[in-house]
Amino acid sequence: ITRYNIHNARLNAAVALMEANIETPLSIDQIASQASVSKRHLERLFDQQIGQRPGRFYTAIRLRHARGLLRQTALPVSTVAALSGFSTSAYFTRRYKHFFGTPPKDDRCD
């Protein structure tokens, strides 16, 4: 996946799985298994090549996806949260605000 400058095939596979499973997120164990690597090795690969834990990276992918939906659609925040794999709007709003510095409702491009 060139936008992340990743040169490890298993790490590429893991990131591709994350990007393909936004609405219904996989566990890190599932991602590791499907990428044919142990969870611990996957964590090491993320740390070495991306500089963060896989769970945090996956959440960032989902939050960026949500931001795109907020800016490009008129979907309610609760729907955007669900389409981005968050179980509740409240949890989504907290994570979104922490990540982007603004609540989802204020990030709409009207």
Side-chain angles (χ1 to χ4, degrees), residues 56 59-60 63-64 94-102:
R56 182 176 297 261
T59 299
L63 288 168
R64 286 187 196 103
R94 281 193 309 274
R95 295 303 305 259
Y96 192 95
K97 186 174 181 181
H98 182 262
F99 190 80
F100 291 114
T102 185

Side-chain angles (χ1 to χ4, degrees), residues 14-98:
V15 171
L17 284 165
M18 290 175 179
E19 291 180 333
N21 292 279
I22 291 175
E23 187 173 345
T24 307
L26 301 172
S27 71
I28 301 305
D29 286 325
Q30 290 172 310
I31 292 167
S33 176
Q34 290 184 36
S36 301
V37 20
S38 72
K39 179 181 177 183
R40 180 66 192 118
H41 187 62
L42 183 65
E43 289 170 345
R44 277 194 297 272
L45 288 171
F46 267 90
D47 186 48
Q48 292 167 352
Q49 296 193 30
I50 297 177
Q52 59 183 278
R53 307 283 291 182
R56 182 176 297 261
F57 184 83
Y58 199 3
T59 299
I61 288 173
R62 293 167 44 221
L63 288 168
R64 286 187 196 103
H65 173 76
R67 184 178 233 185
L69 290 174
L70 288 168
R71 290 183 168 184
Q72 297 169 13
T73 72
L75 293 170
V77 170
S78 59
T79 302
V80 170
L83 291 172
S84 302
F86 292 91
S87 56
T88 68
S89 294
Y91 178 65
F92 166 69
T93 298
R94 281 193 309 274
R95 295 303 305 259
Y96 192 95
K97 186 174 181 181
H98 182 262

